[in-house]
Amino acid sequence: MTPDDWTAGMENEAASVGDPRWSQETWQAARLQPRPLVQQVLVYGSFLVALGFLNTLLMDSALRFSVLQQHNPLGRWAINTLHYPGLIDLTHLLLPALFVAALATLRFIPLALLTMSALSFLPMEGGAWLYAQTHDPLSYQTQSGIERINLVSYTGITAPAFILWNTALIGLATYLGQGFRLMLTRRTP
C-alpha cells in the first residue's frame, strides 16, 4: 500500500464513521503521513543546488560591478540594495527558511529538514560549481599577471557558528510550518 492509498483509506474511514471526535482525529492522522524521504531529499537538495547557483550568479554580478567596474544591472542592484552581507543573508538564511516553512506545511520530516540544512553548504557548493563551469571565470589583470577569483568559496559557508545559526532558523521555520499545517488540517466537529 502506498502512502497515498493509506491516506485515502484513512480519509474514507473518517468520513464513514458517526463519531465526530474519532472522525476528526482519523482525518488529522491521515494528513500527518510524511512524504517519502527520497522525495524530500531530492526536492530540498535541488532547491539548495539552485540556491547555490543563484548566490554565485548574484555574487559574480556584484563583484564584476564593484571590483571590475563592469556595468550590469543585476550587479548594481545586488550591491546597492543588498550589499555583500545581505547577499549571504538572503541566499543562506532567508530563502532557505521560507522554503523550509513551505516544505513543513507539505508534510516533510522535521529531522530530515534540519539535517539537510546543517549540510546545506554541500549542495550549494554544487550549484556554485555548476555556475563556474557554465560561465566565464571571474578574473582581473594585476601587475603579476591575471588573477582568478574562486566564486565557489563565496557560496559554501562552513563556519560552525553560521551552520548553527542556519539550523536554528530552519528549526524555527519547520516548527512554524508544521503549526500552520496542523492549523489548516484541523476540522471542527
Side-chain angles (χ1 to χ4, degrees), residues 130-145:
L130 183 63
Y131 180 87
Q133 298 304 310
T134 57
H135 290 78
D136 292 334
L138 184 59
S139 58
Y140 58 96
Q141 185 70 35
T142 64
Q143 291 179 351
S144 60

Side-chain angles (χ1 to χ4, degrees), residues 91-104:
T91 56
H92 284 79
L93 297 173
L94 182 63
L95 290 178
L98 291 174
F99 190 67
V100 161
L103 292 180

